[in-house]
Amino acid sequence: MKNEYIGRSLQRRGILDKVTGRQRYVCDRKLPGMLWAKLLRSPHGSAEILRIDAEEAKNSKGTEMVLTADDIAGGVPRFGSVLRDQPILASGDVKYYGEPVAVVVADSRESAEAALKKIRVEYRPRKAVTAIEEALAPDAPVVNDFHRSGFEAGKTSHPNVLEEYEFGWGDVDSTKKRADHVLKNRYSFPMVYHFTLENFACAAALEGELLTVWTPIQHPFILRRVIAESLGIPQSGVRVVAEEIGGGFGGKGYPKIEPLAAYLAMRLKRPIKLETEFHEGFCMARRLANSTTIETGFDKDGHILFQDIETSYLAGPYAAEGPRIAQKASYVACGAYRTKNARVSCKVVKSNTTPATAFRGFGMPQLIWALERQMEAASRLVGVERAELRRRNIPLRGETLVPGDTPVDGDWREGFEKALELSGFYDAKGPMQGRGIAIGIKNPIPGSRSNALVRLLADGSMNVYVGTTEMGQGARTVMAQIAAEVLKLSPDRITIHMGDTLTVPFDQATAGSRSTVSMGTAIRNACEHVNSQLKEYVADYFAPNDPRGDEMNLENEIDLENGKIRFRGLEMTYQEFLLKYFGPFQADITGLGVFSGRKDKNSLLGGTADFWEVICTAVDLTVDESTGAIRFNKIVNVSDAGKIINPLLAESQEAGGSLIALGHALLEEMKYDADGILLNADPLNYCIPTSKDVSLRTVSSFVENEDGPGPFGSKGIGESPVIALAAAIGNALEDATGISFTSLPVTKEKLFFALKKRKQRAHHIEPRDHELENGV
């Protein structure tokens, strides 16, 4: 049967409000009797707090309270989604630049800001560590004693290693001895900020026994749990309302300032608004930096025999989401390649830097940068053309990717060949023109759960209740399309309700490109539950005593189409039938739907992948040798999507993700000095891509074999465009210039000096020291 609403490019719901400025955000929220809270942040990367003098601030006009860690009886509440280790205010010392040491609560924003300037803090600075090598040095200062027990118990190899994971399969050591070709290289990836236009903000109020928090959060149910644990109250006493998100990209997925705002609201019994300034965001969230060493062995024909991978992710001083990201990403460190023998060692390293959190791609851009640059180097070593080398190692459908996990679930070679074709990979090239290709992969959240509730109302319209958050990906639109298709109801008759933990059923998270598959499945199941009830009522009303009922299965004679019921020559709208069946008092038909991912207690991650998110990215670029500037002639993304629900939204996700990847590939890096001071925490000194950096032609294509586990055979694609582009750019740059980059970002300056060094060496001129660039 032809789909009516699946595969159609319906306009994203709410888009006009966003582009016209009518959209209201949490920073616009005002509550009766609301107080304003402002944070005093540390100017040091690591320091002991000797004294805080807040007397003048407490007496400042309009000040309701000045709070420090010493003012909290019974110890400072701590929070964290993985480990409850981060204090709501620094206690005893500060562990990163920008850590909150005090909060002022006042009757206005201006009063709070004025009082903040009157607080005097005396520090004793200490040596800070801001890089992986520094943190792992034998004499490195311990970043956070809170986690020292893991080292003392022998669970980690260094006091600055928060978590350590080792896993693999096959026999790597013996395979090394018989490999025809072996290469080993190290690659690095920088700290990157999310750079959202909406500042971090939240509001909290105690309404009777119910603590309500309004915040632009991706995962409201995780926040509900974290606040309840941090403040020692039951989850039933916490309500989280996920407000519209003005840019998140993972940075607004997990708790940051919300536990403090909730604590203030409970303590003062007044509504609290805690809103940060733009530059403070740099001190609140970032992507994990990474260093990866890969040793790869091949046979004489270029087939991978083993991969031996050591990878370290640089977290901040607290766990935040670092362990979960590192473990989940390193699990697929071997990429979308057939690897019969593998060994992966992963460390989560603490540092005196901004706490690290999720960023679109969840740790995979770091590893794919390393892996795909390694494959490029391998093609030269083995003597096999670079696309052909990849082709020989892409597994076929049904083959094992990670032993014990979901087999290969798509025709990945189809996407690879399509990317080569669309990019003109083998076409003739001009001077300083290069092409590169890379394959990215990511696994969704394993063993996750989503619930949906739908109500078909008496007038034939529908309400859908989900815990998914709309954050620009178009979930509200796609979910309406899924419900409309199953119920044969126009999407404009369907309203999606999201993100209020008091009214919507549980959803694990809006992350991992899982929502269309997991929540979409729950919605489909809930709508099918409504359909079955509706057909049952029709059969009961029109043929209650039909003697053929049991044999003929009356419900199979009922057709639903375009909001109408057809049965034995009769036709009526849902509204007309419901009025006939339930009478003038009417009634709703409620459907419940559940999605449960596959759990596996023997799996490292606790479950198996619902699907593999795979993308093939190709780049065509030209380098200006005189300046180091790069012009992108074409960027091609081909995702294994299963089935596209909304082509326009899918293409928009691919384009937006590519822009993010351009940033960490060519421009973005958070820079710290030797004292742990963040040097570029502002929009002038932290560069992001603009419209000038966008490709002249961006092409998005999809492999649609309807082989996914989601509704209508769909898979997730939301994070894939971020994963492989940097590696494809690195490969294209090498193709154009002959220069192999191993560290990101490849800035214009880095490329310029590398080109200059190449020219000097061609003329036997030794480069000057300042022209020797790291990572080339």
Side-chain angles (χ1 to χ4, degrees), residues 223-497:
L223 179 59
R224 182 182 68 177
R225 169 180 62 83
V226 169
I227 288 177
E229 291 174 348
S230 176
L231 302 185
I233 58 179
Q235 291 189 36
S236 59
V238 180
R239 174 193 182 196
V240 174
V241 180
E243 298 272 45
E244 198 75 25
I245 298 178
F249 320 120
K252 293 174 183 169
Y254 299 91
K256 291 174 181 63
I257 55 176
E258 294 87 357
L260 174 57
Y263 173 83
L264 294 172
M266 289 188 66
R267 178 160 173 161
L268 293 172
K269 294 181 172 50
R270 293 274 301 276
I272 299 292
K273 178 79 162 291
L274 177 50
E275 184 177 340
T276 66
E277 304 301 321
F278 184 84
H279 67 273
E280 292 181 82
F282 287 85
C283 306
M284 298 173 65
R286 66 163 176 85
R287 175 181 268 154
L288 288 91
N290 177 269
S291 175
T292 296
T293 298
I294 305 182
E295 186 176 12
T296 316
F298 296 84
D299 66 15
K300 59 183 177 59
D301 296 319
H303 298 106
I304 295 174
L305 294 178
F306 74 85
Q307 295 201 64
D308 197 353
I309 300 172
E310 295 181 4
T311 185
S312 296
Y313 283 91
L314 187 69
Y318 305 110
E321 284 64 58
R324 182 183 287 119
I325 295 167
Q327 183 187 42
K328 187 166 175 289
S330 61
Y331 181 75
V332 283
C334 294
Y337 295 115
R338 185 188 300 108
T339 304
K340 295 183 178 179
N341 302 278
R343 179 166 55 204
V344 180
S345 174
C346 177
K347 292 183 176 69
V348 183
V349 182
K350 292 177 288 185
S351 63
N352 298 113
T353 63
T354 296
T357 189
F359 199 132
R360 199 168 175 182
F362 213 72
M364 287 312 299
Q366 296 92 315
L367 290 178
I368 295 301
W369 160 252
L371 177 63
E372 287 295 324
R373 294 297 293 126
Q374 179 83 340
M375 291 295 286
E376 202 77 359
S379 71
R380 297 191 302 274
L381 176 68
V382 178
V384 176
E385 188 272 331
R386 53 205 178 118
E388 176 60 25
L389 183 71
R390 291 173 169 84
R391 187 181 291 112
R392 292 181 186 182
N393 289 285
I394 298 173
L396 302 176
R397 184 191 298 274
E399 284 193 60
T400 296
L401 186 70
V402 177
D405 211 313
T406 301
V408 173
D409 64 345
D411 187 348
W412 297 350
R413 293 190 185 185
E414 179 182 349
F416 182 71
E417 300 299 339
K418 184 178 285 190
L420 291 173
E421 178 185 354
L422 292 174
S423 64
F425 192 80
Y426 293 113
D427 292 350
K429 295 179 295 189
M432 299 299 287
Q433 184 179 0
R435 299 192 182 103
I437 192 164
I439 305 174
I441 187 170
K442 185 182 175 297
N443 49 340
I445 301 173
S448 67
R449 188 175 179 87
S450 295
N451 300 272
L453 184 149
V454 303
R455 289 193 178 115
L456 180 63
L457 308 182
D459 66 350
S461 64
M462 169 167 276
N463 283 322
V464 178
Y465 299 87
V466 295
T468 303
T469 302
E470 174 63 63
M471 54 182 182
Q473 82 279 41
R476 190 179 285 121
T477 309
V478 167
M479 290 175 184
Q481 289 180 254
I482 292 171
E485 190 66 49
V486 177
L487 271 167
K488 306 304 179 186
L489 192 64
S490 174
D492 59 17
R493 300 281 288 166
I494 298 173
T495 301
I496 308 292
H497 302 271

Side-chain angles (χ1 to χ4, degrees), residues 147-216:
H147 312 114
R148 196 180 185 99
S149 59
F151 170 69
E152 293 174 343
K155 295 180 180 178
T156 61
S157 57
H158 191 285
N160 284 335
V161 174
L162 179 62
E163 294 285 354
E164 211 159 346
Y165 310 104
E166 293 189 3
F167 55 94
W169 54 88
D171 188 341
V172 170
D173 290 327
S174 64
T175 308
K176 284 185 180 182
K177 298 175 183 178
R178 58 183 175 85
D180 295 290
H181 305 282
V182 177
L183 74 160
K184 185 176 183 179
N185 290 301
R186 177 179 172 273
Y187 306 89
S188 62
F189 194 104
M191 287 180 274
V192 177
Y193 176 52
H194 301 71
F195 210 96
T196 61
L197 296 183
E198 179 198 25
N199 298 348
F200 288 90
C202 69
L206 189 62
E207 302 169 316
E209 295 182 353
L210 184 65
L211 175 64
T212 301
V213 178
W214 296 266
T215 181

Side-chain angles (χ1 to χ4, degrees), residues 358 428 769 772:
D769 288 344
L772 293 171

Side-chain angles (χ1 to χ4, degrees), residues 24-34 36 109 203 271 273:
R24 310 302 289 174
Y25 297 93
V26 70
C27 60
D28 300 310
R29 181 174 289 280
K30 294 182 180 179
L31 303 171
M34 185 177 76
W36 293 80
R109 184 204 305 264
K273 178 79 162 291

Side-chain angles (χ1 to χ4, degrees), residues 529-574:
H529 186 201
V530 169
N531 274 354
S532 66
Q533 293 177 73
L534 189 58
K535 289 181 178 181
E536 178 185 337
Y537 298 151
V538 171
D540 178 60
Y541 184 80
F542 287 104
N545 301 311
D546 194 319
R548 301 174 300 157
D550 292 338
E551 297 177 9
M552 300 290 293
N553 192 352
L554 294 177
E555 293 181 18
N556 289 335
E557 298 182 47
I558 302 168
D559 291 324
L560 305 178
E561 186 176 352
N562 197 25
K564 294 179 181 178
I565 299 166
R566 293 189 177 92
F567 177 66
R568 294 182 177 179
L570 298 173
E571 179 179 292
M572 65 184 68
T573 66
Y574 292 169

